Amino acid sequence: MTDTPASGADVLEGADSGAALEEDQPVPGETDGPDLGDDDKSPGREDCPSGPFVHITKNLKNTMSVKYSTFAKNDTGSAKDFKFTSKRSGTTTIGGSLNLSADFKVRWVGKLKAEVQGSVQRSWTSELGVEIGGKAKAHKTVYGDYGIMKEKVYGYNAYRATNCSVSNKHYLEVWAPYREGWTLR
């Protein structure tokens, strides 16, 4: 795979796949992280800030919001160069398995930036014209998806009182965009 694909008459160009695009396609090689536990503080502790907060209990497999899908079929008996170029764009925003208020979206982005993925954003719009290339083996088809990677975590929104007791826990999955790019298969 190369970021500067070959050009010329002997290069296989990507063809639009025409398939439905996936909002939560797995990113190759991603795995769930370990259980991170609860953040409940014991009553009577002095270092217990009160107010609404969020806590990540598990880092989940990251996914990709596919914005463009393509393929190149090599029907020859030898390897051929291929080139894919993104031709559609789209936007991915922070979200959750429950509705998130604007206040909690800010809290989750801050938590993700601080603890998991420093480059997460509230929203991300993919680019047009981003190229990737490589070699397609003889008699094989290479598939490519272009989109926005999403950091996914499991955790909760809650409220901590001045005595450190925690109430109103709402568990949910949260995702936020952190980069864009190609995945090949």
Side-chain angles (χ1 to χ4, degrees):
M1 174 175 54
T2 176
D3 289 332
T4 53
S7 59
D10 212 20
V11 174
L12 301 170
E13 295 284 336
D16 288 350
S17 72
L21 301 178
E22 297 180 48
E23 180 61 32
D24 267 334
Q25 177 176 306
V27 176
E30 291 287 325
T31 59
D32 282 349
D35 189 352
L36 302 174
D38 249 348
D39 188 36
D40 293 348
K41 306 265 187 191
S42 302
R45 293 198 35 197
E46 292 185 25
D47 64 339
C48 184
S50 64
F53 72 101
V54 299
H55 178 66
I56 296 169
T57 60
K58 188 167 194 145
N59 194 359
L60 302 174
K61 294 177 190 174
N62 293 345
T63 60
M64 174 189 243
S65 176
V66 177
K67 303 304 179 190
Y68 180 69
S69 192
T70 186
F71 69 94
K73 187 173 184 177
N74 182 359
D75 290 329
T76 71
S78 61
K80 294 274 187 191
D81 287 336
F82 72 87
K83 178 174 89 170
F84 295 154
T85 305
S86 63
K87 295 180 182 173
R88 278 185 244 138
S89 181
T91 300
T92 298
T93 61
I94 186 172
S97 56
L98 300 174
N99 287 335
L100 294 172
S101 68
D103 178 50
F104 275 111
K105 285 180 182 178
V106 170
R107 289 178 194 282
W108 276 108
V109 167
K111 190 70 144 178
L112 285 165
K113 280 182 180 237
E115 294 188 15
V116 180
Q117 177 64 261
S119 60
V120 296
Q121 304 293 319
R122 287 184 69 169
S123 69
W124 195 300
T125 301
S126 61
E127 299 286 327
L128 295 173
V130 178
E131 296 181 342
I132 192 167
K135 291 269 187 204
K137 294 180 182 177
H139 304 290
K140 298 288 181 184
T141 302
V142 178
Y143 297 90
D145 294 310
Y146 186 76
I148 300 168
M149 310 320 183
K150 299 186 305 185
E151 184 69 43
K152 285 185 87 170
V153 296
Y154 182 76
Y156 58 86
N157 301 327
Y159 183 83
R160 186 178 294 119
T162 55
N163 70 354
C164 295
S165 64
V166 175
S167 61
N168 297 331
K169 277 188 184 180
H170 297 284
Y171 285 88
L172 68 159
E173 281 186 16
V174 175
W175 55 85
Y178 70 94
R179 76 176 168 93
E180 65 183 288
W182 283 97
T183 59
L184 301 175
R185 48 191 162 86

